[in-house]
Amino acid sequence: MSRHTQNVSFECERCAHKIEKLSNGSFRNHCPACLWSKHVDILPGDRANPCKGLMEPIGLHWHPKKGWQIIHKCSICGHIGRNIAASNSIQPDNADILIALSQSVWTD
Ligand SMILES: [Zn+2]
Ligand SMILES: [Zn+2]
């Protein structure tokens, strides 16, 4: 499976922040400035979901292996998704919003 073609820079539809591709080989699926995401995946990274709704960051979840994940809720269909927080990239996630989200930590 290649993540190459998906890892391109794009503009946030929520705040118009220019989002650069990640340098560590993983693909970014949320905006580092406002942390909103977009409902484009059925399986992570497949971009096969026709919903395309904007997804609001509503909480954080600690995954023992993957680290902090941002909980996103789709504003159109209500789907709940989890995305790994990008803290070690050239555009780290907005720490103020992450701290605010940490008030709402989800557990399994
Ligand atoms: Zn944004
Ligand atoms: Zn959706």
Side-chain angles (χ1 to χ4, degrees):
M1 197 166 79
S2 170
R3 288 175 167 177
H4 232 83
T5 51
Q6 297 157 345
N7 203 4
V8 293
S9 56
F10 59 101
E11 202 165 274
C12 176
E13 292 180 27
R14 169 80 183 169
C15 71
H17 189 83
K18 185 90 161 56
I19 302 162
E20 303 295 335
K21 63 182 179 179
L22 294 181
S23 55
N24 62 4
S26 65
F27 58 92
R28 179 185 282 285
N29 47 25
H30 59 271
C31 172
C34 67
L35 302 194
W36 281 59
S37 185
K38 197 176 176 188
H39 196 190
V40 292
D41 294 343
I42 296 175
L43 299 171
D46 67 2
R47 299 295 188 266
N49 198 309
C51 177
K52 306 287 190 287
L54 289 178
M55 296 184 75
E56 181 182 7
I58 57 171
L60 289 179
H61 175 257
W62 173 256
H63 189 288
K65 292 201 176 93
K66 296 176 183 170
W68 285 107
Q69 295 178 304
I70 301 169
I71 309 290
H72 284 109
K73 185 179 182 187
C74 180
S75 56
I76 292 181
C77 73
H79 173 81
I80 302 283
R82 293 176 185 176
N83 291 300
I84 298 168
S87 55
N88 298 318
S89 68
I90 44 172
Q91 287 182 305
D93 286 340
N94 187 319
D96 292 337
I97 299 179
L98 283 176
I99 289 165
L101 287 177
S102 71
Q103 308 298 316
S104 169
V105 174
W106 288 43
T107 52
D108 284 321

